[in-house]
PDB file of all heavy atoms in Angstrom:
ATOM      1  N   ALA A   1      50.851 -14.913 -83.330  1.00 91.00           N
ATOM      2  CA  ALA A   1      51.092 -14.460 -82.044  1.00 91.00           C
ATOM      3  C   ALA A   1      51.910 -13.090 -82.195  1.00 91.00           C
ATOM      4  O   ALA A   1      51.625 -12.096 -81.497  1.00 91.00           O
ATOM      5  CB  ALA A   1      51.810 -15.421 -81.138  1.00 91.00           C
ATOM      6  N   SER A   2      53.000 -13.117 -82.967  1.00 91.00           N
ATOM      7  CA  SER A   2      53.772 -11.955 -83.215  1.00 91.00           C
ATOM      8  C   SER A   2      52.984 -10.786 -83.753  1.00 91.00           C
ATOM      9  O   SER A   2      53.248  -9.599 -83.309  1.00 91.00           O
ATOM     10  CB  SER A   2      54.993 -12.268 -83.994  1.00 91.00           C
ATOM     11  OG  SER A   2      54.658 -12.683 -85.293  1.00 91.00           O
ATOM     12  N   THR A   3      52.056 -10.967 -84.657  1.00 89.00           N
ATOM     13  CA  THR A   3      51.178  -9.919 -85.123  1.00 89.00           C
ATOM     14  C   THR A   3      50.320  -9.396 -84.082  1.00 89.00           C
ATOM     15  O   THR A   3      50.208  -8.130 -84.100  1.00 89.00           O
ATOM     16  CB  THR A   3      50.370 -10.510 -86.315  1.00 89.00           C
ATOM     17  OG1 THR A   3      51.262 -10.975 -87.527  1.00 89.00           O
ATOM     18  CG2 THR A   3      49.504  -9.375 -86.965  1.00 89.00           C
ATOM     19  N   VAL A   4      49.833 -10.264 -83.284  1.00 90.00           N
ATOM     20  CA  VAL A   4      48.983  -9.691 -82.219  1.00 90.00           C
ATOM     21  C   VAL A   4      49.800  -8.780 -81.239  1.00 90.00           C
ATOM     22  O   VAL A   4      49.368  -7.723 -80.900  1.00 90.00           O
ATOM     23  CB  VAL A   4      48.271 -10.844 -81.387  1.00 90.00           C
ATOM     24  CG1 VAL A   4      47.604 -10.374 -80.137  1.00 90.00           C
ATOM     25  CG2 VAL A   4      47.420 -11.585 -82.288  1.00 90.00           C
ATOM     26  N   ASN A   5      51.014  -9.292 -80.923  1.00 90.00           N
ATOM     27  CA  ASN A   5      51.885  -8.391 -80.033  1.00 90.00           C
ATOM     28  C   ASN A   5      52.075  -7.083 -80.723  1.00 90.00           C
ATOM     29  O   ASN A   5      52.092  -6.116 -80.054  1.00 90.00           O
ATOM     30  CB  ASN A   5      53.120  -9.161 -79.704  1.00 90.00           C
ATOM     31  CG  ASN A   5      52.849 -10.114 -78.577  1.00 90.00           C
ATOM     32  OD1 ASN A   5      52.276  -9.764 -77.667  1.00 90.00           O
ATOM     33  ND2 ASN A   5      53.620 -11.282 -78.539  1.00 90.00           N
ATOM     34  N   ARG A   6      52.421  -7.182 -81.999  1.00 89.00           N
ATOM     35  CA  ARG A   6      52.812  -5.909 -82.734  1.00 89.00           C
ATOM     36  C   ARG A   6      51.585  -4.914 -82.781  1.00 89.00           C
ATOM     37  O   ARG A   6      51.736  -3.751 -82.551  1.00 89.00           O
ATOM     38  CB  ARG A   6      53.284  -6.231 -84.217  1.00 89.00           C
ATOM     39  CG  ARG A   6      53.670  -5.082 -84.943  1.00 89.00           C
ATOM     40  CD  ARG A   6      54.292  -5.534 -86.349  1.00 89.00           C
ATOM     41  NE  ARG A   6      53.459  -6.402 -87.021  1.00 89.00           N
ATOM     42  CZ  ARG A   6      52.366  -6.137 -87.847  1.00 89.00           C
ATOM     43  NH1 ARG A   6      51.915  -5.012 -87.761  1.00 89.00           N
ATOM     44  NH2 ARG A   6      51.758  -7.121 -88.414  1.00 89.00           N
ATOM     45  N   LEU A   7      50.475  -5.473 -83.045  1.00 88.00           N
ATOM     46  CA  LEU A   7      49.288  -4.715 -83.198  1.00 88.00           C
ATOM     47  C   LEU A   7      48.933  -4.018 -81.928  1.00 88.00           C
ATOM     48  O   LEU A   7      48.582  -2.816 -81.813  1.00 88.00           O
ATOM     49  CB  LEU A   7      48.075  -5.451 -83.797  1.00 88.00           C
ATOM     50  CG  LEU A   7      48.097  -5.884 -85.150  1.00 88.00           C
ATOM     51  CD1 LEU A   7      46.922  -6.756 -85.453  1.00 88.00           C
ATOM     52  CD2 LEU A   7      48.330  -4.769 -86.101  1.00 88.00           C
ATOM     53  N   PHE A   8      49.073  -4.724 -80.799  1.00 88.00           N
ATOM     54  CA  PHE A   8      48.787  -4.224 -79.523  1.00 88.00           C
ATOM     55  C   PHE A   8      49.803  -3.018 -79.162  1.00 88.00           C
ATOM     56  O   PHE A   8      49.409  -2.043 -78.755  1.00 88.00           O
ATOM     57  CB  PHE A   8      48.983  -5.183 -78.394  1.00 88.00           C
ATOM     58  CG  PHE A   8      47.567  -5.788 -77.873  1.00 88.00           C
ATOM     59  CD1 PHE A   8      46.784  -6.721 -78.676  1.00 88.00           C
ATOM     60  CD2 PHE A   8      46.966  -5.308 -76.734  1.00 88.00           C
ATOM     61  CE1 PHE A   8      45.615  -7.222 -78.236  1.00 88.00           C
ATOM     62  CE2 PHE A   8      45.868  -5.817 -76.348  1.00 88.00           C
ATOM     63  CZ  PHE A   8      45.085  -6.778 -76.990  1.00 88.00           C
ATOM     64  N   LYS A   9      51.060  -3.401 -79.460  1.00 88.00           N
ATOM     65  CA  LYS A   9      52.130  -2.310 -79.139  1.00 88.00           C
ATOM     66  C   LYS A   9      51.825  -0.984 -80.074  1.00 88.00           C
ATOM     67  O   LYS A   9      52.072   0.061 -79.571  1.00 88.00           O
ATOM     68  CB  LYS A   9      53.484  -2.824 -79.602  1.00 88.00           C
ATOM     69  CG  LYS A   9      54.134  -3.753 -78.460  1.00 88.00           C
ATOM     70  CD  LYS A   9      54.339  -2.973 -77.267  1.00 88.00           C
ATOM     71  CE  LYS A   9      55.761  -3.000 -76.829  1.00 88.00           C
ATOM     72  NZ  LYS A   9      55.974  -2.436 -75.528  1.00 88.00           N
ATOM     73  N   GLN A  10      51.476  -1.230 -81.323  1.00 84.00           N
ATOM     74  CA  GLN A  10      51.205  -0.029 -82.181  1.00 84.00           C
ATOM     75  C   GLN A  10      49.997   0.774 -81.665  1.00 84.00           C
ATOM     76  O   GLN A  10      49.926   1.989 -81.517  1.00 84.00           O
ATOM     77  CB  GLN A  10      50.940  -0.560 -83.545  1.00 84.00           C
ATOM     78  CG  GLN A  10      52.136  -0.854 -84.299  1.00 84.00           C
ATOM     79  CD  GLN A  10      51.804  -1.325 -85.681  1.00 84.00           C
ATOM     80  OE1 GLN A  10      50.652  -1.837 -85.981  1.00 84.00           O
ATOM     81  NE2 GLN A  10      52.830  -1.406 -86.532  1.00 84.00           N
ATOM     82  N   ALA A  11      48.926   0.024 -81.250  1.00 83.00           N
ATOM     83  CA  ALA A  11      47.599   0.654 -80.929  1.00 83.00           C
ATOM     84  C   ALA A  11      47.587   1.254 -79.477  1.00 83.00           C
ATOM     85  O   ALA A  11      47.036   2.248 -79.197  1.00 83.00           O
ATOM     86  CB  ALA A  11      46.415  -0.234 -81.247  1.00 83.00           C
ATOM     87  N   LEU A  12      48.183   0.380 -78.591  1.00 85.00           N
ATOM     88  CA  LEU A  12      48.022   0.663 -77.151  1.00 85.00           C
ATOM     89  C   LEU A  12      49.360   1.002 -76.444  1.00 85.00           C
ATOM     90  O   LEU A  12      49.351   1.642 -75.285  1.00 85.00           O
ATOM     91  CB  LEU A  12      47.336  -0.377 -76.369  1.00 85.00           C
ATOM     92  CG  LEU A  12      45.937  -0.774 -77.001  1.00 85.00           C
ATOM     93  CD1 LEU A  12      45.460  -2.066 -76.255  1.00 85.00           C
ATOM     94  CD2 LEU A  12      45.018   0.240 -76.850  1.00 85.00           C
ATOM     95  N   GLY A  13      50.434   0.617 -77.080  1.00 89.00           N
ATOM     96  CA  GLY A  13      51.782   0.898 -76.390  1.00 89.00           C
ATOM     97  C   GLY A  13      52.121  -0.184 -75.484  1.00 89.00           C
ATOM     98  O   GLY A  13      53.152  -0.009 -74.768  1.00 89.00           O
ATOM     99  N   VAL A  14      51.408  -1.251 -75.253  1.00 89.00           N
ATOM    100  CA  VAL A  14      51.514  -2.267 -74.412  1.00 89.00           C
ATOM    101  C   VAL A  14      51.344  -3.668 -75.050  1.00 89.00           C
ATOM    102  O   VAL A  14      50.603  -3.672 -76.120  1.00 89.00           O
ATOM    103  CB  VAL A  14      50.691  -2.190 -73.130  1.00 89.00           C
ATOM    104  CG1 VAL A  14      50.976  -0.940 -72.224  1.00 89.00           C
ATOM    105  CG2 VAL A  14      49.324  -2.293 -73.494  1.00 89.00           C
ATOM    106  N   THR A  15      51.936  -4.683 -74.591  1.00 90.00           N
ATOM    107  CA  THR A  15      51.585  -6.115 -75.046  1.00 90.00           C
ATOM    108  C   THR A  15      50.167  -6.538 -74.438  1.00 90.00           C
ATOM    109  O   THR A  15      49.708  -5.915 -73.600  1.00 90.00           O
ATOM    110  CB  THR A  15      52.647  -7.111 -74.652  1.00 90.00           C
ATOM    111  OG1 THR A  15      52.573  -7.120 -73.126  1.00 90.00           O
ATOM    112  CG2 THR A  15      54.058  -6.583 -74.996  1.00 90.00           C
ATOM    113  N   PRO A  16      49.691  -7.545 -75.060  1.00 92.00           N
ATOM    114  CA  PRO A  16      48.325  -8.154 -74.628  1.00 92.00           C
ATOM    115  C   PRO A  16      48.516  -8.490 -73.142  1.00 92.00           C
ATOM    116  O   PRO A  16      47.491  -8.278 -72.357  1.00 92.00           O
ATOM    117  CB  PRO A  16      48.235  -9.292 -75.456  1.00 92.00           C
ATOM    118  CG  PRO A  16      48.934  -9.085 -76.764  1.00 92.00           C
ATOM    119  CD  PRO A  16      49.946  -8.199 -76.313  1.00 92.00           C
ATOM    120  N   ARG A  17      49.644  -8.966 -72.771  1.00 90.00           N
ATOM    121  CA  ARG A  17      49.874  -9.431 -71.258  1.00 90.00           C
ATOM    122  C   ARG A  17      49.850  -8.256 -70.336  1.00 90.00           C
ATOM    123  O   ARG A  17      49.154  -8.279 -69.325  1.00 90.00           O
ATOM    124  CB  ARG A  17      51.173 -10.255 -71.188  1.00 90.00           C
ATOM    125  CG  ARG A  17      51.587 -10.603 -69.868  1.00 90.00           C
ATOM    126  CD  ARG A  17      50.621 -11.578 -69.245  1.00 90.00           C
ATOM    127  NE  ARG A  17      50.845 -11.961 -67.873  1.00 90.00           N
ATOM    128  CZ  ARG A  17      50.654 -13.101 -67.304  1.00 90.00           C
ATOM    129  NH1 ARG A  17      50.210 -14.026 -68.030  1.00 90.00           N
ATOM    130  NH2 ARG A  17      50.914 -13.233 -66.114  1.00 90.00           N
ATOM    131  N   GLU A  18      50.521  -7.170 -70.821  1.00 90.00           N
ATOM    132  CA  GLU A  18      50.530  -5.975 -69.957  1.00 90.00           C
ATOM    133  C   GLU A  18      49.175  -5.378 -69.847  1.00 90.00           C
ATOM    134  O   GLU A  18      48.809  -4.873 -68.776  1.00 90.00           O
ATOM    135  CB  GLU A  18      51.518  -4.981 -70.572  1.00 90.00           C
ATOM    136  CG  GLU A  18      52.976  -5.353 -70.376  1.00 90.00           C
ATOM    137  CD  GLU A  18      53.981  -4.607 -71.202  1.00 90.00           C
ATOM    138  OE1 GLU A  18      53.363  -3.891 -72.250  1.00 90.00           O
ATOM    139  OE2 GLU A  18      55.067  -4.455 -70.801  1.00 90.00           O
ATOM    140  N   TYR A  19      48.354  -5.404 -71.015  1.00 89.00           N
ATOM    141  CA  TYR A  19      46.947  -4.939 -70.982  1.00 89.00           C
ATOM    142  C   TYR A  19      46.199  -5.679 -70.059  1.00 89.00           C
ATOM    143  O   TYR A  19      45.499  -5.192 -69.201  1.00 89.00           O
ATOM    144  CB  TYR A  19      46.425  -5.042 -72.336  1.00 89.00           C
ATOM    145  CG  TYR A  19      45.041  -4.373 -72.394  1.00 89.00           C
ATOM    146  CD1 TYR A  19      44.654  -2.996 -72.450  1.00 89.00           C
ATOM    147  CD2 TYR A  19      43.916  -5.264 -72.358  1.00 89.00           C
ATOM    148  CE1 TYR A  19      43.453  -2.535 -72.436  1.00 89.00           C
ATOM    149  CE2 TYR A  19      42.578  -4.821 -72.272  1.00 89.00           C
ATOM    150  CZ  TYR A  19      42.369  -3.470 -72.362  1.00 89.00           C
ATOM    151  OH  TYR A  19      41.156  -2.911 -72.484  1.00 89.00           O
ATOM    152  N   ALA A  20      46.259  -6.972 -70.059  1.00 88.00           N
ATOM    153  CA  ALA A  20      45.459  -7.882 -69.126  1.00 88.00           C
ATOM    154  C   ALA A  20      45.946  -7.680 -67.688  1.00 88.00           C
ATOM    155  O   ALA A  20      44.947  -7.603 -66.864  1.00 88.00           O
ATOM    156  CB  ALA A  20      45.811  -9.399 -69.606  1.00 88.00           C
ATOM    157  N   ASP A  21      47.192  -7.535 -67.411  1.00 85.00           N
ATOM    158  CA  ASP A  21      47.640  -7.342 -66.033  1.00 85.00           C
ATOM    159  C   ASP A  21      47.003  -6.015 -65.524  1.00 85.00           C
ATOM    160  O   ASP A  21      46.658  -5.973 -64.454  1.00 85.00           O
ATOM    161  CB  ASP A  21      49.110  -7.394 -65.980  1.00 85.00           C
ATOM    162  CG  ASP A  21      49.787  -8.743 -66.144  1.00 85.00           C
ATOM    163  OD1 ASP A  21      48.994  -9.660 -65.958  1.00 85.00           O
ATOM    164  OD2 ASP A  21      51.039  -8.735 -66.414  1.00 85.00           O
ATOM    165  N   ALA A  22      47.003  -5.002 -66.281  1.00 85.00           N
ATOM    166  CA  ALA A  22      46.513  -3.692 -65.927  1.00 85.00           C
ATOM    167  C   ALA A  22      45.116  -3.766 -65.681  1.00 85.00           C
ATOM    168  O   ALA A  22      44.521  -3.145 -64.664  1.00 85.00           O
ATOM    169  CB  ALA A  22      46.865  -2.526 -67.049  1.00 85.00           C
ATOM    170  N   HIS A  23      44.330  -4.484 -66.537  1.00 86.00           N
ATOM    171  CA  HIS A  23      42.963  -4.599 -66.369  1.00 86.00           C
ATOM    172  C   HIS A  23      42.631  -5.426 -65.052  1.00 86.00           C
ATOM    173  O   HIS A  23      41.746  -5.036 -64.337  1.00 86.00           O
ATOM    174  CB  HIS A  23      42.287  -5.382 -67.494  1.00 86.00           C
ATOM    175  CG  HIS A  23      40.781  -5.527 -67.336  1.00 86.00           C
ATOM    176  ND1 HIS A  23      39.921  -4.376 -67.475  1.00 86.00           N
ATOM    177  CD2 HIS A  23      40.088  -6.538 -67.229  1.00 86.00           C
ATOM    178  CE1 HIS A  23      38.791  -4.903 -67.293  1.00 86.00           C
ATOM    179  NE2 HIS A  23      38.739  -6.052 -67.117  1.00 86.00           N
ATOM    180  N   ARG A  24      43.522  -6.451 -64.776  1.00 86.00           N
ATOM    181  CA  ARG A  24      43.300  -7.338 -63.550  1.00 86.00           C
ATOM    182  C   ARG A  24      43.563  -6.447 -62.300  1.00 86.00           C
ATOM    183  O   ARG A  24      42.874  -6.579 -61.326  1.00 86.00           O
ATOM    184  CB  ARG A  24      44.304  -8.461 -63.676  1.00 86.00           C
ATOM    185  CG  ARG A  24      44.002  -9.479 -62.398  1.00 86.00           C
ATOM    186  CD  ARG A  24      44.790 -10.767 -62.715  1.00 86.00           C
ATOM    187  NE  ARG A  24      46.122 -10.515 -63.023  1.00 86.00           N
ATOM    188  CZ  ARG A  24      47.073 -11.497 -62.947  1.00 86.00           C
ATOM    189  NH1 ARG A  24      46.592 -12.811 -62.737  1.00 86.00           N
ATOM    190  NH2 ARG A  24      48.294 -11.292 -63.085  1.00 86.00           N
ATOM    191  N   ARG A  25      44.561  -5.647 -62.399  1.00 83.00           N
ATOM    192  CA  ARG A  25      44.937  -4.677 -61.242  1.00 83.00           C
ATOM    193  C   ARG A  25      43.723  -3.707 -61.008  1.00 83.00           C
ATOM    194  O   ARG A  25      43.347  -3.439 -59.852  1.00 83.00           O
ATOM    195  CB  ARG A  25      46.214  -4.004 -61.524  1.00 83.00           C
ATOM    196  CG  ARG A  25      47.420  -4.784 -61.380  1.00 83.00           C
ATOM    197  CD  ARG A  25      48.644  -3.889 -61.343  1.00 83.00           C
ATOM    198  NE  ARG A  25      48.855  -3.087 -62.469  1.00 83.00           N
ATOM    199  CZ  ARG A  25      49.570  -3.415 -63.604  1.00 83.00           C
ATOM    200  NH1 ARG A  25      50.114  -4.685 -63.686  1.00 83.00           N
ATOM    201  NH2 ARG A  25      49.555  -2.735 -64.602  1.00 83.00           N
ATOM    202  N   GLU A  26      43.147  -3.221 -62.007  1.00 86.00           N
ATOM    203  CA  GLU A  26      41.950  -2.389 -61.871  1.00 86.00           C
ATOM    204  C   GLU A  26      40.739  -3.016 -61.250  1.00 86.00           C
ATOM    205  O   GLU A  26      39.978  -2.456 -60.397  1.00 86.00           O
ATOM    206  CB  GLU A  26      41.530  -1.623 -63.117  1.00 86.00           C
ATOM    207  CG  GLU A  26      40.490  -0.676 -63.125  1.00 86.00           C
ATOM    208  CD  GLU A  26      40.667   0.341 -61.919  1.00 86.00           C
ATOM    209  OE1 GLU A  26      41.884   0.818 -61.847  1.00 86.00           O
ATOM    210  OE2 GLU A  26      39.718   0.845 -61.356  1.00 86.00           O
ATOM    211  N   ARG A  27      40.486  -4.373 -61.684  1.00 86.00           N
ATOM    212  CA  ARG A  27      39.466  -5.111 -61.197  1.00 86.00           C
ATOM    213  C   ARG A  27      39.688  -5.248 -59.602  1.00 86.00           C
ATOM    214  O   ARG A  27      38.765  -5.298 -58.715  1.00 86.00           O
ATOM    215  CB  ARG A  27      39.276  -6.405 -61.783  1.00 86.00           C
ATOM    216  CG  ARG A  27      38.442  -6.291 -63.136  1.00 86.00           C
ATOM    217  CD  ARG A  27      38.147  -7.624 -63.627  1.00 86.00           C
ATOM    218  NE  ARG A  27      39.136  -8.667 -63.508  1.00 86.00           N
ATOM    219  CZ  ARG A  27      39.183  -9.790 -64.440  1.00 86.00           C
ATOM    220  NH1 ARG A  27      38.383  -9.816 -65.405  1.00 86.00           N
ATOM    221  NH2 ARG A  27      40.102 -10.617 -64.172  1.00 86.00           N
ATOM    222  N   PHE A  28      40.867  -5.558 -59.234  1.00 81.00           N
ATOM    223  CA  PHE A  28      41.322  -5.699 -57.882  1.00 81.00           C
ATOM    224  C   PHE A  28      41.067  -4.447 -57.125  1.00 81.00           C
ATOM    225  O   PHE A  28      40.487  -4.529 -55.982  1.00 81.00           O
ATOM    226  CB  PHE A  28      42.818  -6.190 -57.823  1.00 81.00           C
ATOM    227  CG  PHE A  28      43.361  -6.212 -56.427  1.00 81.00           C
ATOM    228  CD1 PHE A  28      42.875  -7.272 -55.619  1.00 81.00           C
ATOM    229  CD2 PHE A  28      44.243  -5.450 -55.839  1.00 81.00           C
ATOM    230  CE1 PHE A  28      43.301  -7.430 -54.285  1.00 81.00           C
ATOM    231  CE2 PHE A  28      44.625  -5.575 -54.567  1.00 81.00           C
ATOM    232  CZ  PHE A  28      44.242  -6.563 -53.735  1.00 81.00           C
ATOM    233  N   ARG A  29      41.477  -3.369 -57.597  1.00 82.00           N
ATOM    234  CA  ARG A  29      41.313  -2.085 -56.896  1.00 82.00           C
ATOM    235  C   ARG A  29      39.798  -1.763 -56.730  1.00 82.00           C
ATOM    236  O   ARG A  29      39.322  -1.289 -55.615  1.00 82.00           O
ATOM    237  CB  ARG A  29      41.965  -0.911 -57.683  1.00 82.00           C
ATOM    238  CG  ARG A  29      43.546  -0.947 -57.448  1.00 82.00           C
ATOM    239  CD  ARG A  29      44.083   0.372 -57.957  1.00 82.00           C
ATOM    240  NE  ARG A  29      44.020   0.556 -59.377  1.00 82.00           N
ATOM    241  CZ  ARG A  29      44.916   0.114 -60.220  1.00 82.00           C
ATOM    242  NH1 ARG A  29      46.023  -0.399 -59.949  1.00 82.00           N
ATOM    243  NH2 ARG A  29      44.680   0.297 -61.625  1.00 82.00           N
ATOM    244  N   SER A  30      39.030  -2.057 -57.811  1.00 83.00           N
ATOM    245  CA  SER A  30      37.623  -1.750 -57.714  1.00 83.00           C
ATOM    246  C   SER A  30      36.930  -2.643 -56.657  1.00 83.00           C
ATOM    247  O   SER A  30      36.027  -2.106 -55.800  1.00 83.00           O
ATOM    248  CB  SER A  30      36.882  -2.113 -59.087  1.00 83.00           C
ATOM    249  OG  SER A  30      37.278  -1.221 -60.115  1.00 83.00           O
ATOM    250  N   SER A  31      37.311  -3.893 -56.440  1.00 83.00           N
ATOM    251  CA  SER A  31      36.782  -4.758 -55.456  1.00 83.00           C
ATOM    252  C   SER A  31      37.085  -4.297 -54.099  1.00 83.00           C
ATOM    253  O   SER A  31      36.291  -4.319 -53.222  1.00 83.00           O
ATOM    254  CB  SER A  31      37.281  -6.195 -55.739  1.00 83.00           C
ATOM    255  OG  SER A  31      36.639  -6.813 -56.785  1.00 83.00           O
ATOM    256  N   LEU A  32      38.361  -3.832 -53.952  1.00 79.00           N
ATOM    257  CA  LEU A  32      38.751  -3.273 -52.677  1.00 79.00           C
ATOM    258  C   LEU A  32      38.031  -2.071 -52.261  1.00 79.00           C
ATOM    259  O   LEU A  32      37.518  -1.906 -51.124  1.00 79.00           O
ATOM    260  CB  LEU A  32      40.310  -2.985 -52.543  1.00 79.00           C
ATOM    261  CG  LEU A  32      41.227  -4.169 -52.486  1.00 79.00           C
ATOM    262  CD1 LEU A  32      42.692  -3.623 -52.700  1.00 79.00           C
ATOM    263  CD2 LEU A  32      41.023  -4.998 -51.423  1.00 79.00           C
ATOM    264  N   ARG A  33      37.729  -1.206 -53.239  1.00 81.00           N
ATOM    265  CA  ARG A  33      36.964   0.013 -52.919  1.00 81.00           C
ATOM    266  C   ARG A  33      35.617  -0.374 -52.589  1.00 81.00           C
ATOM    267  O   ARG A  33      34.994   0.513 -51.857  1.00 81.00           O
ATOM    268  CB  ARG A  33      37.091   1.005 -54.191  1.00 81.00           C
ATOM    269  CG  ARG A  33      38.397   1.745 -54.374  1.00 81.00           C
ATOM    270  CD  ARG A  33      38.367   2.859 -55.417  1.00 81.00           C
ATOM    271  NE  ARG A  33      38.039   2.352 -56.782  1.00 81.00           N
ATOM    272  CZ  ARG A  33      38.878   2.072 -57.564  1.00 81.00           C
ATOM    273  NH1 ARG A  33      40.215   2.216 -57.468  1.00 81.00           N
ATOM    274  NH2 ARG A  33      38.579   1.654 -58.829  1.00 81.00           N
ATOM    275  N   ALA A  34      35.028  -1.384 -53.205  1.00 83.00           N
ATOM    276  CA  ALA A  34      33.762  -1.810 -52.836  1.00 83.00           C
ATOM    277  C   ALA A  34      33.556  -2.423 -51.530  1.00 83.00           C
ATOM    278  O   ALA A  34      32.482  -2.828 -51.113  1.00 83.00           O
ATOM    279  CB  ALA A  34      33.226  -2.718 -53.983  1.00 83.00           C
ATOM    280  N   GLY A  35      34.716  -2.637 -50.841  1.00 82.00           N
ATOM    281  CA  GLY A  35      34.710  -3.168 -49.500  1.00 82.00           C
ATOM    282  C   GLY A  35      35.012  -4.627 -49.453  1.00 82.00           C
ATOM    283  O   GLY A  35      34.914  -5.254 -48.327  1.00 82.00           O
ATOM    284  N   ALA A  36      35.439  -5.324 -50.465  1.00 80.00           N
ATOM    285  CA  ALA A  36      35.720  -6.771 -50.448  1.00 80.00           C
ATOM    286  C   ALA A  36      37.122  -6.964 -49.696  1.00 80.00           C
ATOM    287  O   ALA A  36      37.868  -6.059 -49.653  1.00 80.00           O
ATOM    288  CB  ALA A  36      35.927  -7.335 -51.824  1.00 80.00           C
ATOM    289  N   GLY A  37      37.206  -8.068 -49.094  1.00 81.00           N
ATOM    290  CA  GLY A  37      38.435  -8.379 -48.315  1.00 81.00           C
ATOM    291  C   GLY A  37      39.514  -8.595 -49.416  1.00 81.00           C
ATOM    292  O   GLY A  37      39.288  -8.845 -50.567  1.00 81.00           O
ATOM    293  N   VAL A  38      40.696  -8.634 -48.891  1.00 79.00           N
ATOM    294  CA  VAL A  38      41.790  -8.757 -49.885  1.00 79.00           C
ATOM    295  C   VAL A  38      41.812 -10.137 -50.613  1.00 79.00           C
ATOM    296  O   VAL A  38      41.992 -10.121 -51.880  1.00 79.00           O
ATOM    297  CB  VAL A  38      43.293  -8.584 -49.044  1.00 79.00           C
ATOM    298  CG1 VAL A  38      44.466  -8.868 -49.956  1.00 79.00           C
ATOM    299  CG2 VAL A  38      43.348  -7.291 -48.445  1.00 79.00           C
ATOM    300  N   LEU A  39      41.580 -11.247 -49.884  1.00 80.00           N
ATOM    301  CA  LEU A  39      41.496 -12.504 -50.631  1.00 80.00           C
ATOM    302  C   LEU A  39      40.397 -12.527 -51.541  1.00 80.00           C
ATOM    303  O   LEU A  39      40.572 -12.952 -52.686  1.00 80.00           O
ATOM    304  CB  LEU A  39      41.357 -13.579 -49.540  1.00 80.00           C
ATOM    305  CG  LEU A  39      41.232 -15.071 -50.074  1.00 80.00           C
ATOM    306  CD1 LEU A  39      42.471 -15.384 -50.942  1.00 80.00           C
ATOM    307  CD2 LEU A  39      40.927 -16.085 -49.006  1.00 80.00           C
ATOM    308  N   GLU A  40      39.221 -12.209 -51.132  1.00 83.00           N
ATOM    309  CA  GLU A  40      37.978 -12.082 -52.070  1.00 83.00           C
ATOM    310  C   GLU A  40      38.339 -11.286 -53.240  1.00 83.00           C
ATOM    311  O   GLU A  40      37.971 -11.694 -54.421  1.00 83.00           O
ATOM    312  CB  GLU A  40      36.879 -11.559 -51.284  1.00 83.00           C
ATOM    313  CG  GLU A  40      35.612 -11.586 -52.202  1.00 83.00           C
ATOM    314  CD  GLU A  40      34.434 -10.905 -51.323  1.00 83.00           C
ATOM    315  OE1 GLU A  40      34.525 -10.711 -50.128  1.00 83.00           O
ATOM    316  OE2 GLU A  40      33.352 -10.695 -52.037  1.00 83.00           O
ATOM    317  N   ALA A  41      38.874 -10.041 -53.083  1.00 80.00           N
ATOM    318  CA  ALA A  41      39.225  -9.058 -54.266  1.00 80.00           C
ATOM    319  C   ALA A  41      40.257  -9.780 -55.243  1.00 80.00           C
ATOM    320  O   ALA A  41      40.122  -9.735 -56.384  1.00 80.00           O
ATOM    321  CB  ALA A  41      39.617  -7.785 -53.712  1.00 80.00           C
TER     322      ALA A  41
END
């Protein structure tokens, strides 16, 4: 787990959790832009 965290920080500048959260936020924004309701998005 520590190696995965280190590799992510070296390659992307973020932890795997931060990467996943950013991706989840982008999916949420995309759903909202597509017209989905807040709960559905």
Side-chain angles (χ1 to χ4, degrees):
S2 62
T3 301
V4 168
N5 276 323
R6 182 177 45 80
L7 292 177
F8 259 80
K9 280 295 236 186
Q10 285 175 342
L12 304 174
V14 296
T15 65
R17 176 65 185 214
E18 292 167 333
Y19 181 84
D21 287 343
H23 183 70
R24 184 168 59 170
R25 285 191 303 269
E26 183 52 38
R27 283 195 315 211
F28 176 69
R29 285 191 294 268
S30 293
S31 286
L32 288 177
R33 284 191 299 266
V38 175
L39 176 62
E40 181 185 350

